[in-house]
Coordinates of all heavy atoms in Angstrom, one line a residue:
P14 N 8.3 -28.1 33.0 CA 9.0 -28.8 34.1 C 8.2 -29.0 35.4 O 7.4 -28.2 35.7 CB 10.2 -28.1 34.4 CG 10.2 -26.8 33.5 CD 9.0 -27.0 32.7
R15 N 8.3 -30.1 35.9 CA 7.6 -30.4 37.2 C 8.7 -30.4 38.3 O 9.9 -30.8 38.0 CB 6.9 -31.7 37.2 CG 5.8 -31.8 36.2 CD 5.0 -33.0 36.5 NE 4.9 -33.7 35.3 CZ 4.5 -34.9 35.1 NH1 4.4 -35.6 36.2 NH2 4.4 -35.5 33.9
Y16 N 8.2 -30.1 39.6 CA 9.2 -30.1 40.6 C 8.7 -31.1 41.7 O 7.6 -31.2 42.0 CB 9.3 -28.7 41.3 CG 9.8 -27.7 40.3 CD1 8.9 -26.9 39.6 CD2 11.1 -27.6 40.0 CE1 9.4 -26.0 38.6 CE2 11.6 -26.7 39.1 CZ 10.7 -25.9 38.5 OH 11.2 -25.0 37.5
Y17 N 9.6 -31.9 42.2 CA 9.3 -33.0 43.0 C 10.0 -32.8 44.4 O 11.2 -32.7 44.4 CB 9.8 -34.3 42.4 CG 9.3 -34.5 41.1 CD1 10.0 -34.2 39.9 CD2 8.0 -35.0 40.8 CE1 9.5 -34.3 38.6 CE2 7.5 -35.3 39.5 CZ 8.3 -34.8 38.4 OH 7.8 -35.1 37.2
E18 N 9.2 -32.8 45.5 CA 9.8 -32.7 46.8 C 9.9 -34.0 47.4 O 10.7 -34.2 48.2 CB 8.9 -31.8 47.7 CG 8.8 -30.3 47.4 CD 7.9 -29.9 46.2 OE1 6.8 -30.6 46.2 OE2 8.1 -29.0 45.6
D19 N 9.2 -35.0 47.0 CA 9.3 -36.3 47.6 C 10.3 -37.3 47.0 O 10.2 -38.4 47.2 CB 7.9 -36.9 47.7 CG 7.3 -37.0 46.3 OD1 7.8 -36.5 45.3 OD2 6.3 -37.9 46.1
K20 N 11.2 -36.8 46.1 CA 12.2 -37.6 45.6 C 13.3 -37.9 46.6 O 13.6 -37.1 47.5 CB 12.9 -37.0 44.3 CG 11.9 -36.9 43.2 CD 11.7 -38.1 42.6 CE 10.8 -38.1 41.3 NZ 10.3 -39.3 40.8
P21 N 13.9 -39.2 46.5 CA 15.0 -39.4 47.4 C 16.3 -38.5 47.2 O 16.4 -38.0 46.1 CB 15.4 -40.9 47.0 CG 14.4 -41.3 46.0 CD 13.6 -40.2 45.5
E22 N 16.9 -38.2 48.3 CA 18.1 -37.3 48.2 C 19.2 -37.8 47.4 O 20.0 -37.0 46.8 CB 18.5 -37.1 49.7 CG 17.6 -36.2 50.5 CD 17.5 -34.8 49.9 OE1 18.5 -34.2 49.5 OE2 16.4 -34.3 50.0
G23 N 19.4 -39.1 47.4 CA 20.6 -39.7 46.6 C 20.4 -39.5 45.1 O 21.4 -39.6 44.3
C24 N 19.2 -39.3 44.6 CA 18.9 -39.2 43.2 C 18.7 -37.8 42.8 O 17.7 -37.2 42.8 CB 17.7 -40.1 42.9 SG 17.4 -40.4 41.2
V25 N 19.9 -37.2 42.4 CA 19.8 -35.8 42.1 C 19.1 -35.4 40.8 O 18.2 -34.5 40.8 CB 21.2 -35.2 41.9 CG1 21.3 -33.8 41.7 CG2 22.0 -35.4 43.3
S26 N 19.3 -36.1 39.8 CA 18.7 -35.8 38.4 C 17.5 -36.6 38.1 O 17.1 -36.6 37.0 CB 19.8 -35.9 37.4 OG 20.3 -37.2 37.4
A27 N 16.8 -37.1 39.1 CA 15.6 -37.9 38.8 C 14.5 -37.1 38.3 O 13.8 -37.5 37.4 CB 15.2 -38.7 40.1
G28 N 14.3 -35.8 38.8 CA 13.3 -35.0 38.3 C 13.5 -34.6 36.8 O 12.5 -34.5 36.0
V29 N 14.7 -34.3 36.5 CA 15.0 -33.8 35.1 C 14.8 -35.0 34.2 O 14.4 -34.9 33.1 CB 16.5 -33.3 35.0 CG1 16.8 -32.9 33.6 CG2 16.6 -32.1 35.9
K30 N 15.2 -36.3 34.6 CA 15.1 -37.4 33.9 C 13.6 -37.8 33.6 O 13.3 -38.1 32.4 CB 15.8 -38.5 34.5 CG 15.7 -39.9 33.8 CD 16.4 -41.0 34.5 CE 16.4 -42.4 33.8 NZ 17.0 -43.4 34.6
E31 N 12.8 -37.6 34.6 CA 11.4 -37.9 34.4 C 10.8 -36.8 33.5 O 9.9 -37.1 32.7 CB 10.7 -37.9 35.7 CG 9.3 -38.4 35.7 CD 8.8 -38.7 37.1 OE1 9.6 -39.0 38.0 OE2 7.5 -38.7 37.2
D32 N 11.1 -35.5 33.6 CA 10.7 -34.5 32.7 C 11.0 -34.8 31.3 O 10.2 -34.6 30.3 CB 11.1 -33.1 33.2 CG 10.4 -32.7 34.5 OD1 9.4 -33.2 34.8 OD2 11.0 -31.8 35.1
L33 N 12.3 -35.2 31.1 CA 12.8 -35.5 29.7 C 11.9 -36.6 29.1 O 11.5 -36.7 28.0 CB 14.2 -35.9 29.8 CG 14.9 -36.2 28.4 CD1 14.8 -35.1 27.5 CD2 16.4 -36.6 28.6
G34 N 11.6 -37.7 30.0 CA 10.9 -38.8 29.5 C 9.4 -38.4 29.1 O 8.9 -38.8 28.1
V35 N 8.8 -37.6 29.9 CA 7.4 -37.1 29.6 C 7.4 -36.2 28.3 O 6.6 -36.3 27.4 CB 6.9 -36.3 30.8 CG1 5.6 -35.6 30.5 CG2 6.7 -37.2 32.0
C36 N 8.5 -35.4 28.2 CA 8.6 -34.5 27.0 C 8.7 -35.4 25.7 O 8.1 -35.1 24.8 CB 9.8 -33.6 27.2 SG 10.1 -32.5 25.8
L37 N 9.5 -36.4 25.8 CA 9.8 -37.3 24.7 C 8.5 -38.0 24.3 O 8.1 -38.2 23.2 CB 10.9 -38.2 24.9 CG 12.3 -37.7 24.8 CD1 13.3 -38.7 25.3 CD2 12.5 -37.2 23.4
L38 N 7.8 -38.5 25.3 CA 6.5 -39.3 25.1 C 5.4 -38.5 24.6 O 4.5 -38.9 23.9 CB 6.1 -40.1 26.4 CG 7.0 -41.2 26.8 CD1 6.6 -41.8 28.1 CD2 7.0 -42.3 25.7
Q39 N 5.5 -37.2 24.8 CA 4.4 -36.3 24.4 C 4.8 -35.6 23.1 O 3.9 -34.8 22.5 CB 4.0 -35.2 25.4 CG 3.4 -35.8 26.6 CD 3.2 -34.8 27.7 OE1 3.6 -33.7 27.7 NE2 2.5 -35.2 28.7
S40 N 5.9 -35.8 22.5 CA 6.4 -35.2 21.3 C 5.6 -35.7 20.0 O 5.1 -36.8 20.1 CB 7.9 -35.3 21.2 OG 8.2 -36.6 20.9
D41 N 5.6 -35.0 19.0 CA 5.0 -35.3 17.8 C 5.8 -36.5 17.2 O 5.2 -37.4 16.4 CB 4.9 -34.2 16.8 CG 3.9 -33.1 17.3 OD1 3.0 -33.4 18.0 OD2 4.0 -32.0 16.8
C42 N 7.0 -36.6 17.5 CA 7.9 -37.6 16.9 C 7.4 -38.9 17.3 O 7.3 -39.9 16.5 CB 9.3 -37.4 17.2 SG 10.5 -38.6 16.5
V43 N 7.1 -39.2 18.6 CA 6.6 -40.4 19.1 C 5.1 -40.6 18.8 O 4.8 -41.7 18.3 CB 6.9 -40.4 20.7 CG1 6.2 -41.7 21.2 CG2 8.4 -40.4 20.9
L44 N 4.3 -39.6 19.0 CA 2.9 -39.8 18.8 C 2.5 -39.9 17.4 O 1.6 -40.9 17.0 CB 2.2 -38.6 19.4 CG 2.3 -38.5 20.9 CD1 1.6 -37.2 21.5 CD2 1.7 -39.6 21.6
K45 N 2.9 -39.1 16.6 CA 2.5 -39.1 15.1 C 3.3 -40.0 14.2 O 2.7 -40.7 13.2 CB 2.5 -37.7 14.5 CG 1.3 -36.7 15.3 CD 1.4 -35.5 14.7 CE 0.3 -34.6 15.4 NZ 0.3 -33.2 14.9
E46 N 4.6 -39.9 14.3 CA 5.5 -40.6 13.5 C 5.7 -42.1 14.0 O 6.2 -43.0 13.2 CB 6.8 -39.9 13.3 CG 6.7 -38.6 12.7 CD 8.0 -37.9 12.6 OE1 9.0 -38.5 12.8 OE2 7.9 -36.7 12.4
G47 N 5.4 -42.3 15.2 CA 5.5 -43.8 15.8 C 7.0 -44.2 16.1 O 7.2 -45.5 16.1
K48 N 7.9 -43.2 16.1 CA 9.3 -43.7 16.5 C 9.4 -43.9 17.9 O 8.6 -43.5 18.8 CB 10.2 -42.6 16.0 CG 10.2 -42.3 14.5 CD 11.3 -41.3 14.2 CE 11.3 -41.0 12.8 NZ 12.2 -39.9 12.3
S49 N 10.5 -44.5 18.4 CA 10.8 -44.8 19.8 C 11.3 -43.5 20.4 O 12.0 -42.7 19.7 CB 11.7 -46.0 19.9 OG 13.0 -45.6 19.4
P50 N 11.3 -43.3 21.7 CA 11.9 -42.1 22.3 C 13.3 -42.0 22.1 O 13.9 -40.8 21.8 CB 11.5 -42.3 23.8 CG 10.3 -43.1 23.8 CD 10.5 -44.0 22.6
P51 N 14.2 -43.0 22.1 CA 15.6 -42.8 21.9 C 15.9 -42.3 20.4 O 16.8 -41.6 20.3 CB 16.3 -44.2 22.0 CG 15.3 -44.8 23.0 CD 14.0 -44.4 22.6
Q52 N 15.0 -42.6 19.5 CA 15.3 -42.2 18.1 C 14.8 -40.7 18.1 O 15.4 -39.9 17.4 CB 14.3 -42.9 17.1 CG 14.8 -44.4 16.9 CD 13.8 -45.1 16.1 OE1 12.7 -44.8 15.9 NE2 14.3 -46.3 15.5
C53 N 13.8 -40.3 18.9 CA 13.5 -38.8 18.9 C 14.2 -38.0 19.8 O 14.0 -36.8 19.9 CB 11.9 -38.9 19.3 SG 10.8 -39.7 18.2
L54 N 15.2 -38.5 20.5 CA 16.0 -37.7 21.4 C 16.8 -36.7 20.7 O 17.2 -35.7 21.2 CB 16.9 -38.7 22.3 CG 17.5 -38.1 23.4 CD1 16.5 -37.5 24.4 CD2 18.4 -39.1 24.1
K55 N 17.1 -36.9 19.5 CA 17.9 -36.1 18.6 C 17.1 -34.9 18.1 O 17.6 -34.0 17.6 CB 18.5 -36.7 17.5 CG 19.5 -37.9 17.9 CD 20.2 -38.6 16.8 CE 21.1 -39.7 17.3 NZ 21.5 -40.5 16.3
A56 N 15.8 -34.9 18.3 CA 14.9 -33.8 17.8 C 15.1 -32.6 18.6 O 15.6 -32.7 19.9 CB 13.4 -34.3 17.9
A57 N 14.8 -31.4 18.1 CA 15.1 -30.1 18.8 C 14.1 -29.9 19.9 O 14.3 -28.9 20.6 CB 15.2 -29.0 17.7
K58 N 13.0 -30.5 20.0 CA 12.0 -30.1 21.0 C 12.3 -30.2 22.5 O 12.1 -29.4 23.3 CB 10.7 -31.0 20.8 CG 9.5 -30.7 21.7 CD 8.2 -31.1 21.2 CE 7.1 -30.9 22.1 NZ 7.0 -29.7 22.8
C59 N 13.0 -31.3 22.8 CA 13.4 -31.5 24.2 C 14.8 -31.2 24.5 O 15.5 -31.8 25.4 CB 13.0 -32.9 24.6 SG 11.3 -33.3 24.5
K60 N 15.4 -30.4 23.7 CA 16.9 -30.2 23.7 C 17.3 -29.5 25.0 O 18.4 -29.8 25.5 CB 17.3 -29.2 22.6 CG 18.8 -29.3 22.3 CD 19.0 -28.9 20.8 CE 20.1 -29.8 20.4 NZ 20.2 -29.8 18.9

C-alpha cells in the first residue's frame, strides 16, 4: 500500500482505489494470462 498526502479531501477512498488498481495490474492474472482487471478481481491476490 502507498499513502498519499496530496489527495483531495473529498475523495476518501482514492488511495485504496489506486492501490487496488496497481495490485490488479501487477497480478499474474493480468500479466501472464492476459485477462482484464475486472475479470481478475475475483482472484484471491488483491482480496
Side-chain angles (χ1 to χ4, degrees):
R15 293 190 234 163
Y16 299 98
Y17 305 95
E18 287 88 28
D19 58 340
K20 290 289 180 186
E22 287 295 319
C24 193
V25 176
S26 55
V29 178
K30 181 179 180 182
E31 193 167 333
D32 288 340
L33 179 61
V35 168
C36 179
L37 285 172
L38 290 175
Q39 293 176 350
S40 68
D41 290 338
C42 181
V43 173
L44 295 176
K45 293 182 180 176
E46 297 175 17
K48 295 182 181 178
S49 67
Q52 291 174 340
C53 296
L54 192 58
K55 296 177 184 174
K58 178 158 173 51
C59 302
K60 199 160 219 158

